[in-house]
Amino acid sequence: MIIRWMTLVCFTLVATLAAAQSDNEAVRQLIQRLGDDDFALRDQAQTEIVELGEWALPFLQIAAQSHDDPEVRARAGLAVKQIEFNTKLA
């Protein structure tokens, strides 16, 4: 019985970590799209990142400070401000 429970816990942990890693990669991809040549894609990426909310903030703060693309830095900084504003309203 204990072995089954431990196995279930391990599978749950692995699935949770895999999902978190997938979410992190999705945020990184959205951040990259903030610098896309297509304005509509940049705008859509920014909207999607802001909708993710607070957990995206660490990624955005890093991008706003150190990304190579000035457009990404500017949009990431704006997204940080939008998320912080939305958080205060909630």
Side-chain angles (χ1 to χ4, degrees):
M1 182 68 159
I2 291 177
I3 293 174
R4 286 185 186 173
W5 181 81
M6 289 178 66
T7 302
L8 179 61
V9 169
C10 287
F11 280 125
T12 303
L13 180 59
V14 168
T16 302
L17 291 174
Q21 190 173 26
S22 175
D23 290 344
N24 292 350
E25 184 57 31
V27 172
R28 287 186 186 100
Q29 288 176 1
L30 285 171
I31 288 171
Q32 282 303 113
R33 283 183 28 212
L34 292 175
D36 197 280
D37 290 338
D38 184 330
F39 174 79
L41 289 178
R42 291 193 309 266
D43 205 44
Q44 179 184 7
Q46 186 160 354
T47 299
E48 290 178 26
I49 288 175
V50 170
E51 288 174 358
L52 293 175
E54 287 184 277
W55 77 268
L57 282 175
F59 299 97
L60 289 167
Q61 290 164 334
I62 291 169
Q65 294 292 320
S66 62
H67 200 279
D68 293 337
D69 186 335
E71 179 75 16
V72 173
R73 286 195 308 269
R75 286 181 169 270
L78 180 58
V80 167
K81 290 177 183 176
Q82 289 173 315
I83 291 169
E84 289 172 344
F85 179 78
N86 293 346
T87 302
K88 289 178 185 176
L89 291 179

